[in-house]
Amino acid sequence: MKKLSSIEDFKQKYRVTIDLPVAWGEMDLFHHVNNIFYFRYFESVRMHYMGLIGALDYLKQHNVGPILAATDCKFITPVTWPDDLIVGARIDIESMGDDRFEMSYGVWSKKQSKLAAVGSSMIVYYDYNGLTKAKIPTELRQSINNQES
């Protein structure tokens, strides 16, 4: 993994980003953001990404859409309140399968000016009517390609 030593490096790797403030209630007994909130940050940027590529509209129309199959997080440096985060997401289009793709995430601490965490998730396309996996629709695959190129 290329070292992300600046916000410019971060935004070059993660083209889809959102800004999120750290809330006081996200702190835990150890005076840093509790690990569960990183998964919420990932969820927030994932849903933003899905909206950008049209996946949420497609889901509403066809009842076929993304479902989270697996996720992980590597904590790099503790984040404390107050801070503002930039949370980024990307999809590796080279490793997309017929029915799945891996999404990568990064969390950048503005206060510390460095990467705080990275993670990934496996997203599987799912037919919510048939309760089975589904192929990624061609128009969404093209939208992902456009977003990542």
PDB file of all heavy atoms in Angstrom, residues 14-19 43-58 66 87-91 103 125 139-148:
ATOM      1  N   TYR A  14      -8.761   7.829  -2.781  1.00  0.00           N
ATOM      2  CA  TYR A  14     -10.202   7.713  -2.500  1.00  0.00           C
ATOM      3  C   TYR A  14     -10.910   8.895  -3.153  1.00  0.00           C
ATOM      4  O   TYR A  14     -10.951   9.989  -2.599  1.00  0.00           O
ATOM      5  CB  TYR A  14     -10.461   7.712  -0.997  1.00  0.00           C
ATOM      6  CG  TYR A  14      -9.758   6.611  -0.259  1.00  0.00           C
ATOM      7  CD1 TYR A  14      -8.612   6.862   0.486  1.00  0.00           C
ATOM      8  CD2 TYR A  14     -10.242   5.310  -0.296  1.00  0.00           C
ATOM      9  CE1 TYR A  14      -7.963   5.848   1.173  1.00  0.00           C
ATOM     10  CE2 TYR A  14      -9.593   4.286   0.384  1.00  0.00           C
ATOM     11  CZ  TYR A  14      -8.459   4.568   1.116  1.00  0.00           C
ATOM     12  OH  TYR A  14      -7.824   3.562   1.797  1.00  0.00           O
ATOM     13  N   ARG A  15     -11.456   8.660  -4.319  1.00  0.00           N
ATOM     14  CA  ARG A  15     -12.070   9.759  -5.080  1.00  0.00           C
ATOM     15  C   ARG A  15     -13.442  10.142  -4.551  1.00  0.00           C
ATOM     16  O   ARG A  15     -13.927  11.231  -4.810  1.00  0.00           O
ATOM     17  CB  ARG A  15     -12.140   9.387  -6.550  1.00  0.00           C
ATOM     18  CG  ARG A  15     -10.758   9.258  -7.138  1.00  0.00           C
ATOM     19  CD  ARG A  15     -10.796   9.007  -8.590  1.00  0.00           C
ATOM     20  NE  ARG A  15      -9.434   8.862  -9.080  1.00  0.00           N
ATOM     21  CZ  ARG A  15      -9.155   8.634 -10.328  1.00  0.00           C
ATOM     22  NH1 ARG A  15     -10.105   8.538 -11.211  1.00  0.00           N
ATOM     23  NH2 ARG A  15      -7.901   8.501 -10.688  1.00  0.00           N
ATOM     24  N   VAL A  16     -14.064   9.238  -3.844  1.00  0.00           N
ATOM     25  CA  VAL A  16     -15.353   9.539  -3.221  1.00  0.00           C
ATOM     26  C   VAL A  16     -15.094   9.740  -1.733  1.00  0.00           C
ATOM     27  O   VAL A  16     -14.595   8.836  -1.061  1.00  0.00           O
ATOM     28  CB  VAL A  16     -16.372   8.405  -3.447  1.00  0.00           C
ATOM     29  CG1 VAL A  16     -17.649   8.659  -2.667  1.00  0.00           C
ATOM     30  CG2 VAL A  16     -16.667   8.245  -4.933  1.00  0.00           C
ATOM     31  N   THR A  17     -15.393  10.952  -1.237  1.00  0.00           N
ATOM     32  CA  THR A  17     -15.156  11.253   0.171  1.00  0.00           C
ATOM     33  C   THR A  17     -16.345  11.996   0.768  1.00  0.00           C
ATOM     34  O   THR A  17     -17.126  12.628   0.051  1.00  0.00           O
ATOM     35  CB  THR A  17     -13.892  12.118   0.371  1.00  0.00           C
ATOM     36  OG1 THR A  17     -14.070  13.371  -0.294  1.00  0.00           O
ATOM     37  CG2 THR A  17     -12.642  11.414  -0.135  1.00  0.00           C
ATOM     38  N   ILE A  18     -16.438  11.892   2.084  1.00  0.00           N
ATOM     39  CA  ILE A  18     -17.392  12.690   2.849  1.00  0.00           C
ATOM     40  C   ILE A  18     -16.657  13.252   4.061  1.00  0.00           C
ATOM     41  O   ILE A  18     -15.664  12.676   4.516  1.00  0.00           O
ATOM     42  CB  ILE A  18     -18.624  11.871   3.301  1.00  0.00           C
ATOM     43  CG1 ILE A  18     -18.212  10.658   4.140  1.00  0.00           C
ATOM     44  CG2 ILE A  18     -19.468  11.442   2.092  1.00  0.00           C
ATOM     45  CD1 ILE A  18     -19.377   9.897   4.771  1.00  0.00           C
ATOM     46  N   ASP A  19     -17.130  14.370   4.551  1.00  0.00           N
ATOM     47  CA  ASP A  19     -16.591  14.967   5.768  1.00  0.00           C
ATOM     48  C   ASP A  19     -17.515  14.626   6.919  1.00  0.00           C
ATOM     49  O   ASP A  19     -18.745  14.780   6.801  1.00  0.00           O
ATOM     50  CB  ASP A  19     -16.497  16.490   5.624  1.00  0.00           C
ATOM     51  CG  ASP A  19     -15.474  16.926   4.592  1.00  0.00           C
ATOM     52  OD1 ASP A  19     -14.489  16.196   4.378  1.00  0.00           O
ATOM     53  OD2 ASP A  19     -15.667  17.998   3.996  1.00  0.00           O
ATOM     54  N   GLU A  43     -19.892   2.790   6.526  1.00  0.00           N
ATOM     55  CA  GLU A  43     -21.261   2.679   6.030  1.00  0.00           C
ATOM     56  C   GLU A  43     -21.726   3.993   5.397  1.00  0.00           C
ATOM     57  O   GLU A  43     -22.336   3.996   4.327  1.00  0.00           O
ATOM     58  CB  GLU A  43     -22.185   2.297   7.186  1.00  0.00           C
ATOM     59  CG  GLU A  43     -23.660   2.247   6.821  1.00  0.00           C
ATOM     60  CD  GLU A  43     -24.506   1.996   8.047  1.00  0.00           C
ATOM     61  OE1 GLU A  43     -24.445   2.801   9.003  1.00  0.00           O
ATOM     62  OE2 GLU A  43     -25.230   0.986   8.043  1.00  0.00           O
ATOM     63  N   SER A  44     -21.411   5.095   6.047  1.00  0.00           N
ATOM     64  CA  SER A  44     -21.836   6.401   5.531  1.00  0.00           C
ATOM     65  C   SER A  44     -21.219   6.702   4.172  1.00  0.00           C
ATOM     66  O   SER A  44     -21.918   7.135   3.250  1.00  0.00           O
ATOM     67  CB  SER A  44     -21.471   7.508   6.527  1.00  0.00           C
ATOM     68  OG  SER A  44     -22.216   7.368   7.713  1.00  0.00           O
ATOM     69  N   VAL A  45     -19.927   6.471   4.018  1.00  0.00           N
ATOM     70  CA  VAL A  45     -19.299   6.747   2.726  1.00  0.00           C
ATOM     71  C   VAL A  45     -19.733   5.709   1.686  1.00  0.00           C
ATOM     72  O   VAL A  45     -19.878   6.030   0.502  1.00  0.00           O
ATOM     73  CB  VAL A  45     -17.761   6.868   2.830  1.00  0.00           C
ATOM     74  CG1 VAL A  45     -17.080   5.524   2.994  1.00  0.00           C
ATOM     75  CG2 VAL A  45     -17.201   7.636   1.639  1.00  0.00           C
ATOM     76  N   ARG A  46     -19.976   4.464   2.108  1.00  0.00           N
ATOM     77  CA  ARG A  46     -20.450   3.426   1.181  1.00  0.00           C
ATOM     78  C   ARG A  46     -21.815   3.819   0.605  1.00  0.00           C
ATOM     79  O   ARG A  46     -22.041   3.732  -0.606  1.00  0.00           O
ATOM     80  CB  ARG A  46     -20.540   2.078   1.895  1.00  0.00           C
ATOM     81  CG  ARG A  46     -21.028   0.952   1.026  1.00  0.00           C
ATOM     82  CD  ARG A  46     -20.920  -0.419   1.684  1.00  0.00           C
ATOM     83  NE  ARG A  46     -21.613  -0.531   2.953  1.00  0.00           N
ATOM     84  CZ  ARG A  46     -21.026  -0.675   4.142  1.00  0.00           C
ATOM     85  NH1 ARG A  46     -19.707  -0.709   4.256  1.00  0.00           N
ATOM     86  NH2 ARG A  46     -21.744  -0.780   5.248  1.00  0.00           N
ATOM     87  N   MET A  47     -22.710   4.291   1.464  1.00  0.00           N
ATOM     88  CA  MET A  47     -24.041   4.682   0.985  1.00  0.00           C
ATOM     89  C   MET A  47     -23.957   5.925   0.091  1.00  0.00           C
ATOM     90  O   MET A  47     -24.692   6.038  -0.891  1.00  0.00           O
ATOM     91  CB  MET A  47     -24.988   4.895   2.161  1.00  0.00           C
ATOM     92  CG  MET A  47     -25.253   3.616   2.953  1.00  0.00           C
ATOM     93  SD  MET A  47     -25.710   2.175   1.936  1.00  0.00           S
ATOM     94  CE  MET A  47     -27.282   2.716   1.301  1.00  0.00           C
ATOM     95  N   HIS A  48     -23.066   6.842   0.417  1.00  0.00           N
ATOM     96  CA  HIS A  48     -22.852   8.005  -0.444  1.00  0.00           C
ATOM     97  C   HIS A  48     -22.377   7.549  -1.827  1.00  0.00           C
ATOM     98  O   HIS A  48     -22.879   8.017  -2.857  1.00  0.00           O
ATOM     99  CB  HIS A  48     -21.840   8.947   0.208  1.00  0.00           C
ATOM    100  CG  HIS A  48     -21.517  10.144  -0.616  1.00  0.00           C
ATOM    101  ND1 HIS A  48     -22.431  11.143  -0.877  1.00  0.00           N
ATOM    102  CD2 HIS A  48     -20.367  10.508  -1.255  1.00  0.00           C
ATOM    103  CE1 HIS A  48     -21.875  12.061  -1.637  1.00  0.00           C
ATOM    104  NE2 HIS A  48     -20.619  11.693  -1.888  1.00  0.00           N
ATOM    105  N   TYR A  49     -21.425   6.633  -1.849  1.00  0.00           N
ATOM    106  CA  TYR A  49     -20.893   6.089  -3.107  1.00  0.00           C
ATOM    107  C   TYR A  49     -22.021   5.412  -3.895  1.00  0.00           C
ATOM    108  O   TYR A  49     -22.167   5.624  -5.097  1.00  0.00           O
ATOM    109  CB  TYR A  49     -19.773   5.097  -2.794  1.00  0.00           C
ATOM    110  CG  TYR A  49     -18.915   4.706  -3.972  1.00  0.00           C
ATOM    111  CD1 TYR A  49     -17.586   5.080  -4.039  1.00  0.00           C
ATOM    112  CD2 TYR A  49     -19.416   3.930  -5.008  1.00  0.00           C
ATOM    113  CE1 TYR A  49     -16.783   4.708  -5.105  1.00  0.00           C
ATOM    114  CE2 TYR A  49     -18.622   3.547  -6.075  1.00  0.00           C
ATOM    115  CZ  TYR A  49     -17.306   3.947  -6.114  1.00  0.00           C
ATOM    116  OH  TYR A  49     -16.529   3.573  -7.180  1.00  0.00           O
ATOM    117  N   MET A  50     -22.817   4.601  -3.204  1.00  0.00           N
ATOM    118  CA  MET A  50     -23.918   3.896  -3.881  1.00  0.00           C
ATOM    119  C   MET A  50     -24.914   4.881  -4.487  1.00  0.00           C
ATOM    120  O   MET A  50     -25.436   4.648  -5.579  1.00  0.00           O
ATOM    121  CB  MET A  50     -24.636   2.951  -2.908  1.00  0.00           C
ATOM    122  CG  MET A  50     -23.808   1.793  -2.429  1.00  0.00           C
ATOM    123  SD  MET A  50     -23.264   0.731  -3.778  1.00  0.00           S
ATOM    124  CE  MET A  50     -21.895  -0.094  -3.000  1.00  0.00           C
ATOM    125  N   GLY A  51     -25.147   5.977  -3.806  1.00  0.00           N
ATOM    126  CA  GLY A  51     -26.016   7.010  -4.365  1.00  0.00           C
ATOM    127  C   GLY A  51     -25.416   7.643  -5.607  1.00  0.00           C
ATOM    128  O   GLY A  51     -26.114   7.872  -6.603  1.00  0.00           O
ATOM    129  N   LEU A  52     -24.121   7.904  -5.578  1.00  0.00           N
ATOM    130  CA  LEU A  52     -23.451   8.522  -6.725  1.00  0.00           C
ATOM    131  C   LEU A  52     -23.510   7.651  -7.976  1.00  0.00           C
ATOM    132  O   LEU A  52     -23.644   8.174  -9.084  1.00  0.00           O
ATOM    133  CB  LEU A  52     -21.981   8.813  -6.392  1.00  0.00           C
ATOM    134  CG  LEU A  52     -21.697   9.953  -5.430  1.00  0.00           C
ATOM    135  CD1 LEU A  52     -20.202  10.033  -5.130  1.00  0.00           C
ATOM    136  CD2 LEU A  52     -22.200  11.275  -5.986  1.00  0.00           C
ATOM    137  N   ILE A  53     -23.391   6.348  -7.812  1.00  0.00           N
ATOM    138  CA  ILE A  53     -23.358   5.471  -8.990  1.00  0.00           C
ATOM    139  C   ILE A  53     -24.744   5.012  -9.433  1.00  0.00           C
ATOM    140  O   ILE A  53     -24.877   4.301 -10.425  1.00  0.00           O
ATOM    141  CB  ILE A  53     -22.443   4.241  -8.782  1.00  0.00           C
ATOM    142  CG1 ILE A  53     -22.958   3.334  -7.664  1.00  0.00           C
ATOM    143  CG2 ILE A  53     -21.002   4.691  -8.555  1.00  0.00           C
ATOM    144  CD1 ILE A  53     -22.268   1.978  -7.589  1.00  0.00           C
ATOM    145  N   GLY A  54     -25.771   5.399  -8.693  1.00  0.00           N
ATOM    146  CA  GLY A  54     -27.139   5.029  -9.080  1.00  0.00           C
ATOM    147  C   GLY A  54     -27.619   3.706  -8.507  1.00  0.00           C
ATOM    148  O   GLY A  54     -28.690   3.231  -8.868  1.00  0.00           O
ATOM    149  N   ALA A  55     -26.840   3.116  -7.610  1.00  0.00           N
ATOM    150  CA  ALA A  55     -27.216   1.810  -7.067  1.00  0.00           C
ATOM    151  C   ALA A  55     -28.480   1.874  -6.211  1.00  0.00           C
ATOM    152  O   ALA A  55     -29.274   0.923  -6.190  1.00  0.00           O
ATOM    153  CB  ALA A  55     -26.064   1.222  -6.246  1.00  0.00           C
ATOM    154  N   LEU A  56     -28.688   2.988  -5.523  1.00  0.00           N
ATOM    155  CA  LEU A  56     -29.871   3.100  -4.661  1.00  0.00           C
ATOM    156  C   LEU A  56     -31.142   3.260  -5.487  1.00  0.00           C
ATOM    157  O   LEU A  56     -32.178   2.678  -5.167  1.00  0.00           O
ATOM    158  CB  LEU A  56     -29.692   4.249  -3.666  1.00  0.00           C
ATOM    159  CG  LEU A  56     -28.463   4.123  -2.762  1.00  0.00           C
ATOM    160  CD1 LEU A  56     -28.356   5.320  -1.834  1.00  0.00           C
ATOM    161  CD2 LEU A  56     -28.476   2.816  -1.989  1.00  0.00           C
ATOM    162  N   ASP A  57     -31.059   4.032  -6.570  1.00  0.00           N
ATOM    163  CA  ASP A  57     -32.204   4.158  -7.476  1.00  0.00           C
ATOM    164  C   ASP A  57     -32.522   2.816  -8.137  1.00  0.00           C
ATOM    165  O   ASP A  57     -33.687   2.438  -8.264  1.00  0.00           O
ATOM    166  CB  ASP A  57     -31.930   5.220  -8.552  1.00  0.00           C
ATOM    167  CG  ASP A  57     -31.911   6.624  -7.982  1.00  0.00           C
ATOM    168  OD1 ASP A  57     -32.548   6.864  -6.933  1.00  0.00           O
ATOM    169  OD2 ASP A  57     -31.234   7.487  -8.580  1.00  0.00           O
ATOM    170  N   TYR A  58     -31.474   2.107  -8.555  1.00  0.00           N
ATOM    171  CA  TYR A  58     -31.669   0.794  -9.176  1.00  0.00           C
ATOM    172  C   TYR A  58     -32.329  -0.165  -8.184  1.00  0.00           C
ATOM    173  O   TYR A  58     -33.242  -0.919  -8.547  1.00  0.00           O
ATOM    174  CB  TYR A  58     -30.335   0.225  -9.667  1.00  0.00           C
ATOM    175  CG  TYR A  58     -30.496  -0.967 -10.570  1.00  0.00           C
ATOM    176  CD1 TYR A  58     -30.578  -0.803 -11.955  1.00  0.00           C
ATOM    177  CD2 TYR A  58     -30.595  -2.249 -10.050  1.00  0.00           C
ATOM    178  CE1 TYR A  58     -30.746  -1.904 -12.788  1.00  0.00           C
ATOM    179  CE2 TYR A  58     -30.765  -3.349 -10.873  1.00  0.00           C
ATOM    180  CZ  TYR A  58     -30.844  -3.172 -12.239  1.00  0.00           C
ATOM    181  OH  TYR A  58     -31.026  -4.257 -13.052  1.00  0.00           O
ATOM    182  N   PRO A  66     -26.948  -3.854  -3.543  1.00  0.00           N
ATOM    183  CA  PRO A  66     -25.806  -4.310  -2.757  1.00  0.00           C
ATOM    184  C   PRO A  66     -26.217  -4.838  -1.391  1.00  0.00           C
ATOM    185  O   PRO A  66     -27.190  -4.376  -0.795  1.00  0.00           O
ATOM    186  CB  PRO A  66     -24.956  -3.041  -2.610  1.00  0.00           C
ATOM    187  CG  PRO A  66     -25.947  -1.921  -2.688  1.00  0.00           C
ATOM    188  CD  PRO A  66     -27.016  -2.394  -3.628  1.00  0.00           C
ATOM    189  N   VAL A  87     -13.651  10.747   5.199  1.00  0.00           N
ATOM    190  CA  VAL A  87     -13.789   9.308   5.018  1.00  0.00           C
ATOM    191  C   VAL A  87     -13.924   9.046   3.529  1.00  0.00           C
ATOM    192  O   VAL A  87     -14.764   9.654   2.860  1.00  0.00           O
ATOM    193  CB  VAL A  87     -15.012   8.766   5.794  1.00  0.00           C
ATOM    194  CG1 VAL A  87     -15.093   7.257   5.664  1.00  0.00           C
ATOM    195  CG2 VAL A  87     -14.946   9.183   7.263  1.00  0.00           C
ATOM    196  N   GLY A  88     -13.073   8.174   3.013  1.00  0.00           N
ATOM    197  CA  GLY A  88     -13.043   7.910   1.585  1.00  0.00           C
ATOM    198  C   GLY A  88     -13.354   6.471   1.251  1.00  0.00           C
ATOM    199  O   GLY A  88     -13.188   5.574   2.084  1.00  0.00           O
ATOM    200  N   ALA A  89     -13.812   6.271   0.012  1.00  0.00           N
ATOM    201  CA  ALA A  89     -14.117   4.923  -0.479  1.00  0.00           C
ATOM    202  C   ALA A  89     -13.682   4.804  -1.926  1.00  0.00           C
ATOM    203  O   ALA A  89     -13.663   5.788  -2.670  1.00  0.00           O
ATOM    204  CB  ALA A  89     -15.604   4.626  -0.362  1.00  0.00           C
ATOM    205  N   ARG A  90     -13.340   3.577  -2.281  1.00  0.00           N
ATOM    206  CA  ARG A  90     -13.018   3.275  -3.677  1.00  0.00           C
ATOM    207  C   ARG A  90     -13.359   1.819  -3.949  1.00  0.00           C
ATOM    208  O   ARG A  90     -13.432   1.006  -3.024  1.00  0.00           O
ATOM    209  CB  ARG A  90     -11.557   3.562  -3.991  1.00  0.00           C
ATOM    210  CG  ARG A  90     -10.567   2.647  -3.310  1.00  0.00           C
ATOM    211  CD  ARG A  90      -9.112   2.995  -3.609  1.00  0.00           C
ATOM    212  NE  ARG A  90      -8.811   2.975  -5.006  1.00  0.00           N
ATOM    213  CZ  ARG A  90      -8.463   1.885  -5.693  1.00  0.00           C
ATOM    214  NH1 ARG A  90      -8.370   0.722  -5.087  1.00  0.00           N
ATOM    215  NH2 ARG A  90      -8.197   1.951  -6.970  1.00  0.00           N
ATOM    216  N   ILE A  91     -13.557   1.513  -5.224  1.00  0.00           N
ATOM    217  CA  ILE A  91     -13.788   0.141  -5.662  1.00  0.00           C
ATOM    218  C   ILE A  91     -12.677  -0.219  -6.635  1.00  0.00           C
ATOM    219  O   ILE A  91     -12.385   0.539  -7.567  1.00  0.00           O
ATOM    220  CB  ILE A  91     -15.167  -0.013  -6.345  1.00  0.00           C
ATOM    221  CG1 ILE A  91     -16.276   0.227  -5.329  1.00  0.00           C
ATOM    222  CG2 ILE A  91     -15.313  -1.394  -6.986  1.00  0.00           C
ATOM    223  CD1 ILE A  91     -17.672   0.289  -5.934  1.00  0.00           C
ATOM    224  N   MET A 103     -14.784  -3.050  -1.727  1.00  0.00           N
ATOM    225  CA  MET A 103     -14.710  -1.610  -1.514  1.00  0.00           C
ATOM    226  C   MET A 103     -13.673  -1.357  -0.425  1.00  0.00           C
ATOM    227  O   MET A 103     -13.669  -2.058   0.589  1.00  0.00           O
ATOM    228  CB  MET A 103     -16.079  -1.070  -1.111  1.00  0.00           C
ATOM    229  CG  MET A 103     -16.137   0.424  -0.969  1.00  0.00           C
ATOM    230  SD  MET A 103     -17.828   1.017  -0.727  1.00  0.00           S
ATOM    231  CE  MET A 103     -18.261   1.385  -2.422  1.00  0.00           C
ATOM    232  N   TYR A 125     -23.939  -8.375  -4.936  1.00  0.00           N
ATOM    233  CA  TYR A 125     -25.218  -7.932  -5.487  1.00  0.00           C
ATOM    234  C   TYR A 125     -26.255  -8.993  -5.198  1.00  0.00           C
ATOM    235  O   TYR A 125     -26.000 -10.188  -5.329  1.00  0.00           O
ATOM    236  CB  TYR A 125     -25.099  -7.574  -6.974  1.00  0.00           C
ATOM    237  CG  TYR A 125     -25.176  -6.082  -7.071  1.00  0.00           C
ATOM    238  CD1 TYR A 125     -24.113  -5.301  -6.657  1.00  0.00           C
ATOM    239  CD2 TYR A 125     -26.348  -5.448  -7.441  1.00  0.00           C
ATOM    240  CE1 TYR A 125     -24.196  -3.929  -6.642  1.00  0.00           C
ATOM    241  CE2 TYR A 125     -26.448  -4.074  -7.428  1.00  0.00           C
ATOM    242  CZ  TYR A 125     -25.375  -3.319  -7.023  1.00  0.00           C
ATOM    243  OH  TYR A 125     -25.479  -1.962  -6.983  1.00  0.00           O
ATOM    244  N   GLU A 139     -25.293  -1.245 -16.290  1.00  0.00           N
ATOM    245  CA  GLU A 139     -25.231   0.213 -16.139  1.00  0.00           C
ATOM    246  C   GLU A 139     -24.527   0.631 -14.844  1.00  0.00           C
ATOM    247  O   GLU A 139     -23.850   1.650 -14.801  1.00  0.00           O
ATOM    248  CB  GLU A 139     -26.610   0.859 -16.251  1.00  0.00           C
ATOM    249  CG  GLU A 139     -27.639   0.355 -15.257  1.00  0.00           C
ATOM    250  CD  GLU A 139     -28.534  -0.757 -15.790  1.00  0.00           C
ATOM    251  OE1 GLU A 139     -28.046  -1.674 -16.478  1.00  0.00           O
ATOM    252  OE2 GLU A 139     -29.736  -0.712 -15.499  1.00  0.00           O
ATOM    253  N   LEU A 140     -24.646  -0.184 -13.797  1.00  0.00           N
ATOM    254  CA  LEU A 140     -23.945   0.132 -12.547  1.00  0.00           C
ATOM    255  C   LEU A 140     -22.463  -0.185 -12.654  1.00  0.00           C
ATOM    256  O   LEU A 140     -21.621   0.552 -12.137  1.00  0.00           O
ATOM    257  CB  LEU A 140     -24.582  -0.610 -11.377  1.00  0.00           C
ATOM    258  CG  LEU A 140     -26.012  -0.181 -11.056  1.00  0.00           C
ATOM    259  CD1 LEU A 140     -26.550  -0.954  -9.879  1.00  0.00           C
ATOM    260  CD2 LEU A 140     -26.106   1.314 -10.821  1.00  0.00           C
ATOM    261  N   ARG A 141     -22.152  -1.258 -13.341  1.00  0.00           N
ATOM    262  CA  ARG A 141     -20.738  -1.582 -13.589  1.00  0.00           C
ATOM    263  C   ARG A 141     -20.077  -0.440 -14.356  1.00  0.00           C
ATOM    264  O   ARG A 141     -18.966  -0.014 -14.025  1.00  0.00           O
ATOM    265  CB  ARG A 141     -20.649  -2.895 -14.365  1.00  0.00           C
ATOM    266  CG  ARG A 141     -19.246  -3.407 -14.568  1.00  0.00           C
ATOM    267  CD  ARG A 141     -19.258  -4.735 -15.323  1.00  0.00           C
ATOM    268  NE  ARG A 141     -19.842  -5.800 -14.544  1.00  0.00           N
ATOM    269  CZ  ARG A 141     -19.176  -6.506 -13.625  1.00  0.00           C
ATOM    270  NH1 ARG A 141     -17.911  -6.237 -13.382  1.00  0.00           N
ATOM    271  NH2 ARG A 141     -19.769  -7.469 -12.973  1.00  0.00           N
ATOM    272  N   GLN A 142     -20.763   0.091 -15.352  1.00  0.00           N
ATOM    273  CA  GLN A 142     -20.227   1.218 -16.129  1.00  0.00           C
ATOM    274  C   GLN A 142     -20.098   2.464 -15.265  1.00  0.00           C
ATOM    275  O   GLN A 142     -19.115   3.200 -15.344  1.00  0.00           O
ATOM    276  CB  GLN A 142     -21.106   1.512 -17.349  1.00  0.00           C
ATOM    277  CG  GLN A 142     -20.554   2.585 -18.245  1.00  0.00           C
ATOM    278  CD  GLN A 142     -19.154   2.261 -18.764  1.00  0.00           C
ATOM    279  OE1 GLN A 142     -18.908   1.170 -19.275  1.00  0.00           O
ATOM    280  NE2 GLN A 142     -18.225   3.194 -18.619  1.00  0.00           N
ATOM    281  N   SER A 143     -21.068   2.689 -14.391  1.00  0.00           N
ATOM    282  CA  SER A 143     -21.023   3.846 -13.495  1.00  0.00           C
ATOM    283  C   SER A 143     -19.836   3.750 -12.524  1.00  0.00           C
ATOM    284  O   SER A 143     -19.178   4.753 -12.239  1.00  0.00           O
ATOM    285  CB  SER A 143     -22.350   3.950 -12.738  1.00  0.00           C
ATOM    286  OG  SER A 143     -22.400   5.141 -12.019  1.00  0.00           O
ATOM    287  N   ILE A 144     -19.563   2.554 -12.038  1.00  0.00           N
ATOM    288  CA  ILE A 144     -18.390   2.338 -11.167  1.00  0.00           C
ATOM    289  C   ILE A 144     -17.115   2.620 -11.959  1.00  0.00           C
ATOM    290  O   ILE A 144     -16.214   3.305 -11.473  1.00  0.00           O
ATOM    291  CB  ILE A 144     -18.384   0.905 -10.585  1.00  0.00           C
ATOM    292  CG1 ILE A 144     -19.534   0.733  -9.601  1.00  0.00           C
ATOM    293  CG2 ILE A 144     -17.041   0.602  -9.924  1.00  0.00           C
ATOM    294  CD1 ILE A 144     -19.798  -0.716  -9.196  1.00  0.00           C
ATOM    295  N   ASN A 145     -17.035   2.095 -13.173  1.00  0.00           N
ATOM    296  CA  ASN A 145     -15.862   2.342 -14.021  1.00  0.00           C
ATOM    297  C   ASN A 145     -15.650   3.847 -14.230  1.00  0.00           C
ATOM    298  O   ASN A 145     -14.524   4.330 -14.150  1.00  0.00           O
ATOM    299  CB  ASN A 145     -15.995   1.643 -15.357  1.00  0.00           C
ATOM    300  CG  ASN A 145     -15.764   0.161 -15.281  1.00  0.00           C
ATOM    301  OD1 ASN A 145     -14.979  -0.308 -14.471  1.00  0.00           O
ATOM    302  ND2 ASN A 145     -16.444  -0.594 -16.121  1.00  0.00           N
ATOM    303  N   ASN A 146     -16.737   4.567 -14.493  1.00  0.00           N
ATOM    304  CA  ASN A 146     -16.649   6.017 -14.695  1.00  0.00           C
ATOM    305  C   ASN A 146     -16.168   6.716 -13.425  1.00  0.00           C
ATOM    306  O   ASN A 146     -15.374   7.647 -13.488  1.00  0.00           O
ATOM    307  CB  ASN A 146     -17.989   6.584 -15.135  1.00  0.00           C
ATOM    308  CG  ASN A 146     -18.398   6.133 -16.504  1.00  0.00           C
ATOM    309  OD1 ASN A 146     -17.583   5.632 -17.292  1.00  0.00           O
ATOM    310  ND2 ASN A 146     -19.679   6.265 -16.822  1.00  0.00           N
ATOM    311  N   GLN A 147     -16.672   6.278 -12.294  1.00  0.00           N
ATOM    312  CA  GLN A 147     -16.306   6.893 -11.014  1.00  0.00           C
ATOM    313  C   GLN A 147     -14.832   6.676 -10.694  1.00  0.00           C
ATOM    314  O   GLN A 147     -14.174   7.566 -10.148  1.00  0.00           O
ATOM    315  CB  GLN A 147     -17.172   6.304  -9.892  1.00  0.00           C
ATOM    316  CG  GLN A 147     -16.985   6.946  -8.543  1.00  0.00           C
ATOM    317  CD  GLN A 147     -17.414   8.398  -8.535  1.00  0.00           C
ATOM    318  OE1 GLN A 147     -18.496   8.753  -8.962  1.00  0.00           O
ATOM    319  NE2 GLN A 147     -16.543   9.261  -8.063  1.00  0.00           N
ATOM    320  N   GLU A 148     -14.317   5.519 -11.017  1.00  0.00           N
ATOM    321  CA  GLU A 148     -12.954   5.159 -10.633  1.00  0.00           C
ATOM    322  C   GLU A 148     -11.896   5.517 -11.674  1.00  0.00           C
ATOM    323  O   GLU A 148     -10.715   5.397 -11.411  1.00  0.00           O
ATOM    324  CB  GLU A 148     -12.864   3.661 -10.310  1.00  0.00           C
ATOM    325  CG  GLU A 148     -13.674   3.263  -9.081  1.00  0.00           C
ATOM    326  CD  GLU A 148     -13.207   3.919  -7.790  1.00  0.00           C
ATOM    327  OE1 GLU A 148     -12.018   4.329  -7.698  1.00  0.00           O
ATOM    328  OE2 GLU A 148     -14.007   4.025  -6.856  1.00  0.00           O
TER     329      GLU A 148
END
